[in-house]
Amino acid sequence: MSINATLIGQMITFSLLVWLTMKYIWPPIIAALEERKVKIAEGLAAAERGQEEIKLAEKKAKTVLKEAKEKSAEIIGSAQKRANELVEESKMQAQKEGERLLEAAKAQIEQEMLQARENLRKEVSALALRAAEQILKEEIDKAKHQDLLNRTAEQLG
């Protein structure tokens, strides 16, 4: 056997092996590689979308949290304002009530003072009448005497 014939046989066998590999083995391997490439690309794209969605969700969460804080601050401010208004309103009512009670007490004192004057006037007139009766027992008529005392009481009062 010559080296040339062996070499030609090996070349034919190699070519046949290459052709069979290219025809039957290579296409499924390439298809599997392409399919795997597509799956990896889809996975990477999904991971990127997930990262973007996480960033958007974080931004949205921060926005919602900020809005909630602002709203709670607004509610607290409103409640504080209302509490201050209630305190002021209570102070005003207490002041009005105090003034009303003071006026009522002054009116009661005035009423009692007038009543005491009237009682004193009656007692003075009764004492004067008794004294006059004792002094003048029968010199003056009772009706005239009462009229005189009434006029005197009006002048005093």
Side-chain angles (χ1 to χ4, degrees):
M1 253 211 226
S2 99
I3 292 183
N4 285 341
T6 306
L7 189 58
I8 291 178
Q10 284 180 351
M11 283 176 52
I12 291 173
T13 306
F14 183 73
S15 297
L16 184 64
L17 181 66
V18 168
W19 179 77
L20 286 174
T21 303
M22 294 288 282
K23 178 98 174 158
Y24 296 106
I25 296 174
W26 194 257
I29 291 175
I30 293 296
L33 287 175
E34 286 296 320
E35 184 179 327
R36 180 74 178 145
K37 182 180 175 183
V38 168
K39 284 183 182 180
I40 291 172
E42 287 176 355
L44 289 174
E48 287 179 16
R49 282 193 308 269
Q51 289 292 332
E52 289 177 15
E53 288 176 4
I54 287 173
K55 287 179 183 177
L56 289 175
E58 286 176 354
K59 285 181 182 178
K60 186 175 181 181
K62 286 179 182 178
T63 304
V64 168
L65 186 61
K66 184 179 178 183
E67 289 175 0
K69 284 181 180 180
E70 289 174 357
K71 190 169 185 175
S72 67
E74 181 180 320
I75 290 170
I76 289 171
S78 175
Q80 186 70 25
K81 182 180 176 185
R82 180 65 181 142
N84 290 340
E85 288 175 359
L86 288 175
V87 166
E88 289 299 320
E89 189 176 307
S90 296
K91 284 181 184 178
M92 295 288 287
Q93 286 179 352
Q95 187 177 9
K96 287 179 182 178
E97 182 67 18
E99 290 173 1
R100 187 189 65 78
L101 289 176
L102 184 63
E103 290 298 320
K106 285 181 180 178
Q108 184 178 3
I109 289 171
E110 184 70 28
Q111 183 68 24
E112 288 177 1
M113 196 166 70
L114 289 175
Q115 189 175 2
R117 278 187 187 166
E118 185 63 31
N119 287 340
L120 187 60
R121 191 175 330 149
K122 286 181 183 178
E123 286 179 21
V124 167
S125 65
L127 285 174
L129 181 61
R130 275 190 238 145
E133 277 180 5
Q134 288 176 359
I135 294 174
L136 299 174
K137 279 233 180 195
E138 298 204 13
E139 290 182 18
I140 298 181
D141 186 16
K142 232 181 186 186
K144 288 180 186 179
H145 187 326
Q146 185 64 36
D147 184 44
L148 181 62
L149 285 176
N150 285 340
R151 279 187 274 148
T152 304
E154 286 177 14
Q155 289 175 359
L156 290 175

